[in-house]
Amino acid sequence: MKFAFFDAKPYDKPSFEKYGGENGIKFKYFETKLNEDTVELAAGYDGVCVFVNDTVNAAVIDRLYEMGVKVVALRCAGFNNVDMKHAFGRVHVLRVPAYSPYAVAEHTMAMLLTSIRRIHKAYIRTRDFNFSLAGMTGFDLHGKTVGVIGTGRIGRVFIDICRGFGMKVLAYDKFPIDGLADGDKIRYVGLDELFRNSDIISLHCPLTEETYHVIDAEAIEKCKRGVVILNTSRGALVDAEALLSGIKSRKVGAACLDVYEEESDIFFEDFSGHIIEDDTLARLISMPNVIVTSHQAFLTEEALSNIAETTVGNIKTFFERGQCENELCFRCGSAEDCKSGKCF
Ligand code: NAI
């Protein structure tokens, strides 16, 4: 089996070579992202292997279909970059539903602690032998309230971590999890109450039409003054312009962003020495209370290994059995994992 691997990075190759080699799947690595301009590179391959910022829209799907490319193997969990409706009946879309919720949840807490304890400032200061503590006052997490939007795999690990710090949790999910609520310690509430009563808000839901800009100007208006906003999920959950206004007006106390609305042409690439055209991102990065990482939350050795193992397993299972439990299917539900494997 031959797969065209788009948006390849040096850290992808070792684990994909290992698991691909063991299972007879050959990957051809392309540094470019998949989109309408690059889709021709997939000619002659059995499938494409793509990541979060590859574009699998209707035009790309049509061309893959015409070229006889049957499988889109996502090496990630989110699939907002795939036109699932259009994919139905044309290409099979496989994904890695979970690879390490700990990687993302731990990164979220790392960003939060860095921000509120000013570690990013201290690191730079002491390297310059500046041992002053002026402007370094933080606050305790113990006793604070964190609002968690999305209580799936990652959200629940993040809740566990927050509980370890002695924080109270207000949770919101379209499909609340039975048994998660725990008296005053963890309470499911409506979004309004979550916005009004949280000191920190962390996003762990998928990007859908419903969750697009879930943090917008109106939501920020409802928040406590000084709220800390954490987004390690998908950029467009937050209206970046509204966030910037909230920071300028001092309503938002800090923001930690591992994802950004317009990240697809910027993140994962080295732009040092270049002029960044995106004024909103540049202004956000210039703020002392904003920390941006470049969609890095997933990047642990354990996650990379699990991603490669599951992606290769998905491809192998699909070609052997004609179905795979990690196939996404629009017909089974609103783009949920295919339960029957017989929809296509
Ligand atoms: P999951 O599927 O286990 O959990 C998502 C939760 O969101 C579910 O409980 C679901 O019911 C809930 N949800 C769905 N629609 C909602 C809505 N309209 N409002 C509120 N909640 C809603 O997914 P998991 O593994 O926890 O991942 C969460 C998100 O994290 C992914 O969708 C992905 O976008 C992001 N992610 C980011 C990574 C990074 O490197 N920054 C890596 C992996 C995932």
Side-chain angles (χ1 to χ4, degrees), residues 152-204:
R153 284 168 278 243
I154 295 169
R156 290 203 299 279
V157 175
F158 185 65
I159 287 174
D160 277 349
I161 295 173
C162 291
R163 288 293 307 133
F165 278 80
M167 300 168 82
K168 287 188 181 150
V169 178
L170 296 179
Y172 173 78
D173 197 297
K174 194 175 171 189
F175 307 103
I177 308 286
D178 281 344
L180 183 68
D182 183 9
D184 264 1
K185 295 178 194 146
I186 305 173
R187 268 195 316 126
Y188 272 111
V189 294
L191 267 185
D192 240 50
E193 186 176 344
L194 185 147
F195 290 141
R196 289 187 200 288
N197 294 326
S198 299
D199 301 296
I200 295 144
I201 295 174
S202 197
L203 300 170
H204 299 291

Side-chain angles (χ1 to χ4, degrees), residues 188-257:
Y188 272 111
V189 294
L191 267 185
D192 240 50
E193 186 176 344
L194 185 147
F195 290 141
R196 289 187 200 288
N197 294 326
S198 299
D199 301 296
I200 295 144
I201 295 174
S202 197
L203 300 170
H204 299 291
C205 58
L207 174 62
T208 63
E209 278 172 21
E210 271 175 298
T211 59
Y212 176 80
H213 283 185
V214 63
I215 303 288
D216 59 7
E218 208 183 317
I220 290 172
E221 189 53 40
K222 291 176 190 160
C223 289
K224 282 187 174 184
R225 195 169 177 77
V227 65
V228 179
I229 293 175
L230 313 173
N231 188 7
T232 55
S233 201
R234 283 293 178 269
L237 295 173
V238 175
D239 178 343
E241 294 283 350
L243 178 66
L244 183 57
S245 301
I247 286 165
K248 282 183 178 168
S249 70
R250 313 318 195 246
K251 177 83 186 211
V252 175
C256 302
L257 311 173

Side-chain angles (χ1 to χ4, degrees), residues 97-164:
Y99 37 89
S100 172
Y102 309 103
V104 182
E106 289 171 13
H107 188 82
T108 311
M109 181 49 84
M111 293 186 90
L112 174 60
L113 285 171
T114 301
S115 170
I116 65 159
R117 300 311 303 269
R118 318 279 188 261
I119 306 295
H120 54 311
K121 297 278 165 202
Y123 177 76
I124 306 259
R125 235 182 236 194
T126 54
R127 285 176 75 83
D128 198 28
F129 304 104
N130 175 354
F131 300 104
S132 153
L133 291 183
M136 296 299 220
T137 311
F139 63 82
D140 292 4
L141 286 180
H142 184 88
K144 295 293 184 302
T145 299
V146 60
V148 177
I149 301 180
T151 55
R153 284 168 278 243
I154 295 169
R156 290 203 299 279
V157 175
F158 185 65
I159 287 174
D160 277 349
I161 295 173
C162 291
R163 288 293 307 133

